[in-house]
């Protein structure tokens, strides 16, 4: 039995079977490199699903962790913790929001956003509004409320009944949105680029019309920036490409570069929806996590990782388009923004994905046909160039 087989058997005996794993056991990482059990090296184009944005095992972060781990890790939110305030100050400086609530994941950030939107409508605006409208192809998380918002049958299978008050309309359909909004509508939630949904960017005209419609009807607009936020698309937040100011913004994935942390931000006005005791979490932004996330933001700002993501991302998309030109018919589109890139194939991509993994490139396949890249924002062009070369080879080998 191989080492990997042995681990697989052990896992089957010990863990709930919720995950389909890649056939790799990762042993260590550094920057945009990973190494498996056999010491095989990989170029990581996925970064823990848009999480390790400043690379694996960043030295500066390791230093912060070591130091803070010996000072204070967690005391709960029963106490004042200035580390949270240092973090909040840096985070809020990146956008128009006035208040933050810290939690532990993307789903929890969205859960907090949904709760805040309902409570703001019901307690501040005195409206009997609770419904949340989302869009086909979206992904907002796996808690019951966020999976209800996500709305995909495969994520809801066997979990009935879903919580009430969630409806979904077609992605980009402004008339459908207009029809769906009623006096019961509390909020609309959307990703500027649907990540899990196959790297599908929002249409700017639709977005502007949706924001205007929300404003007109007193409906809150929630930007789910869990994947697209924190410099990935070339700005701090992907909504900033469109000159809009959402009422609520959610974040997680890259916030602590691999430690579990989420944040919900809201305008001062909307944040009034929460009162003391309205919402809470035991772990939210402990001292260690806060220090790490603060350092992540400091590095992103200092090293201008938004600009870097924009430059390197644009360069990579050009490079992938070259590959596409050489294999007309195999690649339908290269799309995305900054370093959130989807390469859509004209055929199911499992074999291509497998062949790329064999060649040492880690990325993921969404919606069957879309190769998704969400590498560290610090990735070198040379690594993306090697990937483009490998993709070309694979398409050649497969006769595509
Ligand atoms: C990953 C993701 C989530 C859920 O985050 P978790 O940390 O897995 O709960 C929510 N929204 C978007 C857009 C995501 O990409």
């Amino acid at each position: 039995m191989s080492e990997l087989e042995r681990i697989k058997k052990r896992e089957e005996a010990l863990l709930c079977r919720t995950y389909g794993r890649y056939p790799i056991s990762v042993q260590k990482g550094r920057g945009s490199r990973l190494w498996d059990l056999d010491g095989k090296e990989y170029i990581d184009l996925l970064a823990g699903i848009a999480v390790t944005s400043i690379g694996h095992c960043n030295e500066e972060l390791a230093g912060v962790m070591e130091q803070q781990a010996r000072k204070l890790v967690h005391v709960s939110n029963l106490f004042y913790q200035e580390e949270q305030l240092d973090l909040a100050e840096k985070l809020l400086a990146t956008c128009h929001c006035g208040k933050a609530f810290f939690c532990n994941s993307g789903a929890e950030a969205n859960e907090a956003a949904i709760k805040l939107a309902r409570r703001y409508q019901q307690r501040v605006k005195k409206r009997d509004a609770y419904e949340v409208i989302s869009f086909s192809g979206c992904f907002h998380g796996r808690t019951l409320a966020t999976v209800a918002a996500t709305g995909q049958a495969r994520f809801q299978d066997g979990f009935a009944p879903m919580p009430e008050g969630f409806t979904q309309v077609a992605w980009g359909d402004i008339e459908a949105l207009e029809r769906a909004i009623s006096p019961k509508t509390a909020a609309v939630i959307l990703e500027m680029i649907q990540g899990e949904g196959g790297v599908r960017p929002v249409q700017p005209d639709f977005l502007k019309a949706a924001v205007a419609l929300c404003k007109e009807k007193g409906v809150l607009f929630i930007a789910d920036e869990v994947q697209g936020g924190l410099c990935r698309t070339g700005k701090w937040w992907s909504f900033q490409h469109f000159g809009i100011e959402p009422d609520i913004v959610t974040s997680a994935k890259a916030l602590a570069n691999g430690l579990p942390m989420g944040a919900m931000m809201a305008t001062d006005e909307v944040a009034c929806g929460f009162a003391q005791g309205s919402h809470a979490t035991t772990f939210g932004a402990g001292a260690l996590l806060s220090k790490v996330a603060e350092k992540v933001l400091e590095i992103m700002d200092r090293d201008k990782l938004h600009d870097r993501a924009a430059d390197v991302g644009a360069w990579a998309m050009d490079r992938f388009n070259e590959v596409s030109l050489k294999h007309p018919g195999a690649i339908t589109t290269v799309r995305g923004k900054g370093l959130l890139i989807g390469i859509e194939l004209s055929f199911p991509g499992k074999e291509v994905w497998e062949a790329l993994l064999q060649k040492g490139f880690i990325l993921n396949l969404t919606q069957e046909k879309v190769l998704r890249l969400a590498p560290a924002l610090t990735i070198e062009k040379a690594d993306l160039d090697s990937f483009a070369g490998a993709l070309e080879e694979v398409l050649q080998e497969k006769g595509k």
Side-chain angles (χ1 to χ4, degrees), residues 64-113:
V64 168
M65 280 186 225
E66 191 177 351
Q67 209 173 20
Q68 190 61 36
R70 294 176 196 284
K71 188 175 172 204
L72 183 69
V73 173
H74 168 91
V75 289
S76 89
N77 282 305
L78 294 171
F79 298 86
Y80 287 106
Q81 297 168 79
E82 203 156 17
E83 294 85 354
Q84 288 183 355
L85 308 183
D86 295 339
L87 168 60
E89 209 164 62
K90 281 210 167 60
L91 188 65
L92 293 167
T94 62
C95 70
H96 63 285
C97 289
K99 297 278 188 293
F101 174 86
F102 292 112
C103 52
N104 319 290
S105 68
E108 276 179 70
N110 286 333
E111 188 91 20

Side-chain angles (χ1 to χ4, degrees), residues 105-107 110 139-141 191 224 226-227 253:
S105 68
N110 286 333
F139 183 82
H140 299 299
E191 301 154 83
D224 180 343
V226 170
Q227 185 160 160
K253 290 195 163 89

